[in-house]
Amino acid sequence: MALKDYLRQRFFPHMWCPGCGHGTVLNSLLRAVEQLGLSKNEIVMASGIGCSSRISGYVDFHTLHTLHGRALAFATGVKLSQPELNVIVPMGDGDALAIGGNHFIHACRRNIDITAIVMNNRIYGMTGGQFSPMSGVGINATTAPFQNIDRDFDVVKMATAAGATFVARSTTYHAQQAADLIKQAILHEGFSVVEILSQCPTHFGRKNKQGAAADMMERYKDITVPVGSKKKAENPDLIERGIFVQEEAPEYCREYDKIIAKAMKG
Amino acid sequence: MSTQVKFVQGNEACVEAALYAGLDFFAGYPITPSTEIAELLSRRLPMAGGKFIQMEDELASICAIIGASLTGHKVMTATSGPGFSLMQEALGYAIMAEIPCVIVDVQRGGPSTGIPTHGSQGDIMQARWGTHGDHAIIALTASNHQDVFAMTIEAFNMAETYRTPVILLFDEIVGHMREKLVLPEPGEMPLVERLRTSVQGGVNYHPYLPREDGRLPMSDFGGVHRYNVTGLYHDMWGFPSADPGVAHGLIRHLVDKIENRTNQLARYKEYFLEDAEIVMVSYGSAARSALHVVKNRRNRGERLGLLELQTLWPFPRDIVREKCAQAEAVLVVELNMGQVMQEVKKALDHPEKVFLANRIDGVFITPTDIRKILRLIQGKGV
């Protein structure tokens, strides 16, 4: 199927700014779905609030545009009630990790078969450029006019510590790798997290002198290395890309089926 | 005729009714005094092939049931005041996106942590206005276990009929009290199943285009119709819209579908109202003491009556007005500072004849408490 057949063209043009990385993430996501040959009827996409979360409106799946931070909780209800559906949750960094941080942690812990894609642009874009938990110290934002003193954290480490059984990272510069990681995440039976660094030239790039969209994407090439690369040992500031966690563990819906079997036996 | 009789808590009566109504997905978080509902369902649901999940908080619990409702399941969550406060955000979502679901609030004293193990009816207004924005809501209550059963069935039926969340406002006293419950036979009580669209796959389906009778047939997630669900103002496709006409039509629809059916949605019981000079208006556990007083006074020849409300929202204004029209005095009996009394005053031509008998100290209102207020109304002194 052509990629455009996965889109609701009726609802275009989209609302993202020129140069926004989220369109590239959408492209990687649709390539993953297309390569897996999934039917549109078997995919539910749940999202929260923010620029990233608008993805759900544009794709021709069963789509659930929910509340800020709560997409994973809605998605958990969808998945547990109808486990044969593929549930994908695109999330922003503030959406997933600030207001939705608790839901994120517990979805990881529960290991329910949902794919979370964290589109990390390190800023609240839709409200005009306030710092997010991913911005980090020294960043300029509309709510950090004297530079940010809020420390950030590593999504990959947090997802790993919380028990996600597939954890990966890529960037919009590495769109093919991103597509491949999303594909593996969807195939993985359990809770999967794919962090994709995505540029916000309008609100992050401008304020932090990172240039235009293309410059920001080039930067992803320079500041990231494949997992396990020697360069990382030499320069700990480099960000690793690739798969960090891929392990088999009991999946929640399957475990619940066993509960039903046990309960019915009496 | 049914022969199965149980001796149970009100919370258990609610569970029995929910299962009878076809509940097959529950998400919840422990909180006194509603926890027994979650505990019982964690056992009973999988026995019937349904699903129970304990979420990380009440926010997540209500979100999870909304998700499960969209795949075609009958869903419920249960909580008390503090958890109900947390649920307000997603309650508004369910109203906006028109998702059938049932939310039980077994009321305890508030605000804040309040008095967890004691009764209250302090959440009446939170049920009405807790979530932001103009909206309508259905909220039901009950004073005894047979009625808890009946109102729980009604809640599921109304949720499916009107594509809306329905709130069951029980209180700690009814929730934890034990009394007799007669379980009806399967088929004895009518159940409303979800109205699903007859539109075939490949043909345009509009999830938010009402039929001529005002109902909106649904299509399960995972089925042949793919559509968008959002908490934003949306058009008939479910797609976000900032068009003023669409916005106006949507809000009118959400309010009118319930407010225009206020009389149809009214559930109430009446005792000795025909010639009552003093009409008590009460609901939930407080109505038990009110009824006790009414019956005792009737035995002494005093013309007292009781209107027991079971539908609290939309407030049955016309019925209250009609039943209280001939009364010299109206006494509202409730466990709060007069939340329903204010509504009764609004409904009557003579609000000055409305009085309040209440308690706000976590203690169940007794017939003696009510008799003290009656003495004042009847001019017999303190």
Side-chain angles (χ1 to χ4, degrees), chain B residues 28-47:
Chain B
Y29 186 81
I31 184 168
T32 305
S34 76
T35 308
E36 294 84 4
I37 295 176
E39 287 177 334
L40 288 164
L41 284 170
S42 70
R43 180 176 295 273
R44 296 285 299 277
L45 271 174
M47 286 169 72

Side-chain angles (χ1 to χ4, degrees), chain B residues 139-156:
Chain B
L140 309 175
T141 186
S143 63
N144 63 70
H145 294 7
Q146 212 59 52
D147 288 352
V148 165
F149 194 98
M151 288 304 120
T152 302
I153 303 273
E154 292 269 20
F156 279 93

Side-chain angles (χ1 to χ4, degrees), chain B residues 277-280 326-331 353-355 377:
Chain B
E277 290 166 352
I278 297 179
V279 172
M280 292 198 205
Q326 305 305 318
E328 288 162 18
V330 175
L331 180 59
K353 70 179 183 188
V354 179
F355 300 87
I377 295 171

